[in-house]
Structures are given as structure tokens and as C-alpha cells.
Amino acid sequence: MAIEDDVTVIGGGIAGMTAALAAAREGAAVRVLSHKDSTLRSASGLVDVLGYPPRSSDDERGEGSASEESETTPDGPLADPFDAIPALPESHPYRTVGVEGVREALTLFDEVVGDRYRGGHTDRNALVPTHGGAVKPTARYPASAAEGLASDDRNALLVGFETVTDFDAPLAAAHLESAGVPFVARGATVSFPGDFRVDAKITRLADALDADERVSIEGDGYTTELPARKALAETVKPHLRGEARVGFPAILGQHETEAVRADLESELGAAVFEVPMGPPSLPGMRLEGAFLAACRDAGVRFTTGNPVVGYEEDDSGAVAAVRVERNGATIPFHADQFVLATGGLVGKGIDSDREGVEEPIFDCHVPHSGDRYDWFADDAFGDHPFARFGVETDDELRPLDAGGEPEFENVRAAGAVLGGYDFAAEKSGSGVSLATGRTAGRSAASEVTTYE
């Protein structure tokens, strides 16, 4: 049986959900098709706009370069990402949506997350320590990380857990010190209180803090039971040396994070913050939950668990439906408009082999050299062309063919499937996803209105 919507979004990451939410708020009937769990579950939860200028030649940059007026060196972190957008190369997605498009996308983000995030009060990037001891420039960050900003001069104790091996607190503290932060950082590794299995998932530890379960803790020659939050504070207290703030890996509850932080602060007599982690990421899961709730409140429908494997055209050459593989059959999902938000090389929204680089659903053109050796730089940390692989678009984010014409009038692209930027080097992934997702969703919804 054919299923029809006004707008179908392919991909359930932040770009896809932003596109869906933007289209639904314009009155469109929207469906999201998503094969696997959102990549937000692996993301830090930090929302970057532009942390560093792109490593591209001067002749690729736009006019009015901000580098002369910037408060940072060309290779250093950007103080104001919005000031740098007009100087980006013409091919960058931010040049398509414009500064106002980025700002409006962040306004949408702020509405979705409410008081769970900070950073909306300023255009300037915040400097947030990560679990490896690096300092990351970012535009929005969880409220749970706010007390840990690297620009704060209060001394900090970082606390790691023996079973959470991704966060080596003493090593992270040493890295922060070597980075020249304006505070003294120390690290300590402790056992998470309670009789949890050595291989317990971080979600299990977070649940224990959410529920404030009673756990066993050993004292001086005795064992007693305490609520988990108090037990954790008692475990940390012997390691404090007057630090004004204490940082934990980002596992302080899945749902009651602010209550957990408040109880720890009361017990420790110090500000408490979370350090963003790699996958699995609780801040990323919390962010995913906020977007899912906003989408569902707006009437967006989700169909998950099966891949989109192809499409059907109508007589005019527009896309009439995408086909989803389910139990050996392919099911058509019809719509007036489509948004492609399947991710880049990492998310398999862009694929490659020895024959070339392709976009696998609509077979959209992906510009690349025919010589595979041109895809890489000699330096392992150099400016690799493959990092910018993706579809090119027109001003309405419609993918372009090799001749520079729209592949389809009713398909738009958003997020990491777009080419022309290196999100990992620039620290711009979430910002591009939000800005292009919002623009693509609104544009798709406006075309539905036109056809009615």
C-alpha cells in the first residue's frame, strides 16, 4: 500500500529532525524515515557553529575576510563564529544559508532545548574541556557543563571512575594544564560506589544516580549503605584539596541530571560539572530526546528500522516516492517533497569504493577526482579533500548534477551529506546540520503550499 506525505525526510539525525520540525511548523504533513539509531547517541552533545577557520586557500574565500579583524590567529579557535561566516569559501554550506539562516536555526535549537543548554546569550564561542583534556570552542553546551568552562579561573578536580575507561581524569587534567588554562587542574580516579559489575554500562550507573539507589560503600573498617548521590560525594571528598569545582564524566543521570548535580554540589561544597564524552554519549541521548519530543509535538511521524534503498520518478522527472526495504520487499513512501539528510562518509550518506564516490539513494552527483590519490593529503593531519566530499547544491539546497543543474526539483539536502566543508577540522558539524536542516525543511514545506 502506498503511503503519502507532504514532506518525507530521509535520516533521523540532527539535520533530519531539524528539517522535519521546521517543515511541520510550516503546516506540512511530515514523515522521517530512519534506518539506524541517530548519530546523536555518539555525539558529545556540544553544538558547534564554527570553531576554527577552514584550511583552504585565500582565493577560495569570500570577500571581506574577517581574519584581519578577528581576535584570534588564523589557525586558532574563533572567538566569534558569526564574524567569520562571510569569509568562508563560496562552496561552504554556511554561504548558502547565510548568517541569518544560522542565527535562525540556533533560535529554533534554543526553543527545543530550553534551559537545558547555555550559550544563547552571546555570539562568542565558549571553551569547553573534553574528556581527552582538549579545549573545544562551541556555541551551545549543556547546562550540566557550564561550571566547567576553560575560561573560568577557579581550580578544578576532575574525577574519573575505574570502570569508565574512556575518561582518564589525571591525564585529562595534565592535558588541560599543558594547554595553558587559567586554573589548576588535578585528576583523581575512584571506584564508582556500589556493587556494580565491572562491565556495567554507563547508562546503568546513570540510572543509579537518577533513582538515587541505595548502594554499599566501605568506610574505615565498616560497610554501610547510602543513597548513590551521597555515596558518590563521600567517595570523592577525600580527594578534594579546596577546589571550587569538580568535574565528572558525563554520566550524572539520564533524566535527573540537574537534581543529581545539585545534590553533589550540596554534599561537596563545590560547583559540579559534566565533561562531555565520546560514544555512548548521555548528553547526545538527552539532546536526541529533546528533538524527538519537539518533532512529535509538531505532528512528525517516524518510520524507523529499515533502509531507504531507492526512489521512483513521476512523468515529469521529479521524485514521486522513495522505496524502503522491509522483510525482503520494498515499500514506496510517496511525498510531494523530499529532504536528504543521511549523513556523510561516516554515516554512509556518501559512499566510496575503488570506482569512485557516490550518493547511494538518489545517485546525486558527488564532485571528486578520478584519481584516488588526489583524495588524500600526504600529511596524516593535513587538508584531505575527502573530508569535503558531498553533494553540491543550489541556493535552495537542491543537489546539482555534473552540469550544475538541479538533479530533482523536489529534493533538498541537509547536514553532512553536503560537500564543501570539513566539519571535523572546523568544528562546524552541528551548526551546519541545524542551519541547512531548517532551511531545507522550510523550503520543502513552502513548495507543498505552492502546489496545493
Side-chain angles (χ1 to χ4, degrees):
M1 180 178 67
I3 301 170
E4 185 161 2
D5 298 285
D6 291 336
V7 178
T8 290
V9 178
I10 308 163
I14 192 168
M17 285 196 286
T18 301
L21 179 59
R25 288 187 173 183
E26 293 296 311
V30 183
R31 182 183 302 274
V32 173
L33 301 176
S34 179
H35 180 199
K36 298 180 180 179
D37 288 337
S38 168
T39 52
L40 283 172
R41 292 172 174 262
S42 299
S44 66
L46 301 177
V47 175
D48 311 323
V49 170
L50 189 65
Y52 295 87
R55 297 174 296 189
S56 37
S57 60
D58 292 339
D59 60 357
E60 289 181 308
R61 294 180 182 276
E63 295 180 0
S65 172
S67 60
E68 294 181 0
E69 299 177 3
S70 175
E71 298 177 29
T72 61
T73 64
D75 295 326
L78 293 167
D80 185 340
F82 299 99
D83 183 53
I85 289 174
L88 294 172
E90 290 279 354
S91 60
H92 200 290
Y94 280 154
R95 295 295 300 276
T96 302
V97 301
V99 172
E100 284 308 306
V102 180
R103 290 188 184 279
E104 289 165 357
L106 285 174
T107 298
L108 175 62
F109 175 86
D110 293 338
E111 292 172 0
V112 169
V113 299
D115 61 3
R116 286 170 285 194
Y117 269 71
R118 301 286 185 268
H121 66 291
T122 178
D123 283 351
R124 297 174 67 86
N125 278 324
L127 299 176
V128 178
T130 69
H131 66 288
V135 176
K136 185 177 184 182
T138 192
R140 298 289 188 274
Y141 49 95
S144 61
E147 295 287 355
L149 296 187
S151 55
D152 192 328
D153 63 1
R154 293 176 297 169
N155 293 346
L157 172 68
L158 302 184
V159 176
F161 301 116
E162 292 173 353
T163 57
V164 183
T165 56
D166 286 347
F167 183 47
D168 185 328
L171 182 61
H175 285 172
L176 286 173
E177 291 257 304
S178 64
V181 295
F183 57 90
V184 175
R186 288 193 311 109
T189 302
V190 302
S191 296
F192 193 91
D195 298 324
F196 296 98
R197 290 173 43 170
V198 173
D199 61 348
K201 295 181 178 180
I202 63 170
T203 50
R204 175 66 187 97
L205 304 182
D207 288 343
L209 292 170
D210 269 340
D212 209 12
E213 298 175 10
R214 295 191 69 82
V215 297
S216 298
I217 141 178
E218 293 186 3
D220 187 11
Y222 66 92
T223 300
T224 188
E225 281 195 351
L226 293 172
R229 302 172 193 177
K230 183 174 180 60
L232 177 55
E234 292 297 321
T235 301
V236 171
K237 280 179 182 178
H239 299 275
L240 276 170
R241 298 178 187 168
E243 285 87 358
R245 49 188 180 151
V246 180
F248 294 89
I251 64 170
L252 300 184
Q254 294 197 66
H255 310 290
E256 303 295 332
T257 305
E258 290 310 303
V260 173
R261 285 183 55 243
D263 285 351
L264 290 174
E265 287 182 339
S266 177
E267 293 287 341
L268 293 171
V272 168
F273 62 93
E274 287 189 313
V275 179
M277 298 283 289
S281 167
L282 286 175
M285 294 178 194
R286 297 169 197 150
L287 183 55
E288 178 190 32
F291 266 87
L292 282 171
C295 284
R296 286 175 173 143
D297 286 346
V300 176
R301 287 163 290 184
F302 287 81
T303 300
T304 61
N306 298 284
V308 175
V309 294
Y311 69 97
E312 300 174 2
E313 292 185 25
D314 63 18
D315 292 339
S316 70
V319 174
V322 291
R323 301 194 68 86
V324 172
E325 186 178 79
R326 181 185 297 167
N327 298 326
T330 56
I331 311 299
F333 284 75
H334 292 260
D336 285 332
Q337 302 290 317
F338 297 85
V339 177
L340 179 68
T342 46
L345 286 167
V346 175
K348 298 299 183 181
I350 300 295
D351 207 354
S352 67
D353 58 23
R354 291 183 178 275
E355 302 301 318
V357 183
E358 64 174 1
E359 184 281 304
I361 293 176
F362 297 108
D363 195 26
C364 292
H365 174 62
V366 179
H368 64 281
S369 170
D371 186 343
R372 294 174 65 247
Y373 288 99
D374 291 337
W375 300 359
F376 309 92
D378 291 336
D379 184 352
F381 297 100
D383 184 14
H384 296 287
F386 74 78
R388 294 189 294 276
F389 283 171
V391 301
E392 289 183 335
T393 69
D394 64 9
D395 290 344
E396 295 185 27
L397 291 173
R398 292 176 300 185
L400 299 176
D401 62 21
E405 298 296 324
E407 299 263 14
F408 307 98
E409 291 294 329
N410 63 336
V411 174
R412 288 161 181 79
V417 75
L418 298 170
Y421 75 115
D422 181 348
F423 71 87
E426 298 170 10
K427 309 303 180 191
S428 62
S430 295
V432 168
S433 290
L434 287 166
T436 58
R438 176 187 175 276
T439 298
R442 285 173 57 88
S443 181
S446 72
E447 290 297 313
V448 170
T449 303
T450 299
Y451 293 150
E452 289 180 348

